[in-house]
Amino acid sequence: MKNILLSGLMLILLVGSASADFTSADFDGDGKSDWSVFRPSTGIFYVLNSATGTLSATSWGTVCDRAVDGDFDGDGRADVGIWRPSTGTWWIKPSGGGPRVIKKLGVGSLGDIPVPGDYNGDGITDLGIYRPGASSGATSGWHIKFGPTWTNWTNGSWGLAGDIPVAATYKDCNCP
């Protein structure tokens, strides 16, 4: 019966949501990925918690923002977040509550792809973008700030035009 309920709730979320971004992270801390979507048209994150089967909705973001997830505060639970390509700003709502964390990672550039990940192995998700090469054969670039202070900075040229970063791939919702 629980599986039917979970599937039914997910179907309700997805109806009319062709432009939703999907994330896969453990928002409730039970060790399992939770079903979640970010609906840019309304700026709302929906998470179906695997531990309880309950649905939560968090207003966070606007049209053309890109959903990001990760454990940005190091508490073992994923945090709700968006990356705003027009400004290169990360908006993270910590799972433990408290004030929102807003960090800027340089200036966003048209075509940048957010690639959050734990690049230094400290258990905290780092902020990162991948900038694809502009033309055939051009070198692509990685730009990463390490958590939890996001002050250490690293840049790297790796990849070619047309490559897609594997750390994360997000639908661009036809936005610049």
Side-chain angles (χ1 to χ4, degrees), residues 9-175:
L9 285 173
M10 185 51 76
L11 288 174
I12 291 169
L13 285 176
L14 296 177
V15 170
S17 298
S19 64
D21 282 345
F22 297 88
T23 62
S24 176
D26 181 11
F27 291 92
D28 57 19
D30 68 351
K32 301 176 189 174
S33 291
D34 300 306
W35 294 354
S36 57
V37 296
F38 170 63
R39 193 169 297 154
S41 62
T42 61
I44 297 177
F45 262 89
Y46 295 95
V47 176
L48 187 58
N49 296 294
S50 57
T52 62
T54 59
L55 179 68
S56 63
T58 304
S59 183
W60 199 254
T62 62
V63 172
C64 291
D65 288 344
R66 297 187 183 167
V68 295
D69 57 32
D71 185 5
F72 296 96
D73 58 6
D75 68 354
R77 297 185 329 169
D79 305 304
V80 171
I82 57 98
W83 181 72
R84 188 159 293 151
S86 60
T87 61
T89 306
W90 297 73
W91 299 68
I92 310 297
K93 189 167 192 171
S95 56
R100 64 182 176 214
V101 177
I102 304 170
K103 298 291 179 184
K104 191 164 186 173
L105 177 66
V107 175
S109 181
L110 186 63
D112 285 353
I113 301 169
V115 285
D118 184 5
Y119 292 101
N120 59 357
D122 66 357
I124 296 173
T125 302
D126 305 309
L127 308 180
I129 59 168
Y130 176 75
R131 185 165 293 154
S135 62
S136 179
T139 301
S140 299
W142 289 79
H143 307 280
I144 300 169
K145 282 195 175 185
F146 298 104
T149 61
W150 296 291
T151 54
N152 297 327
W153 177 258
T154 189
N155 295 309
S157 295
W158 190 67
L160 297 176
D163 286 352
I164 298 172
V166 177
T169 302
Y170 296 92
K171 181 177 168 294
D172 74 1
C173 73
N174 297 321
C175 296

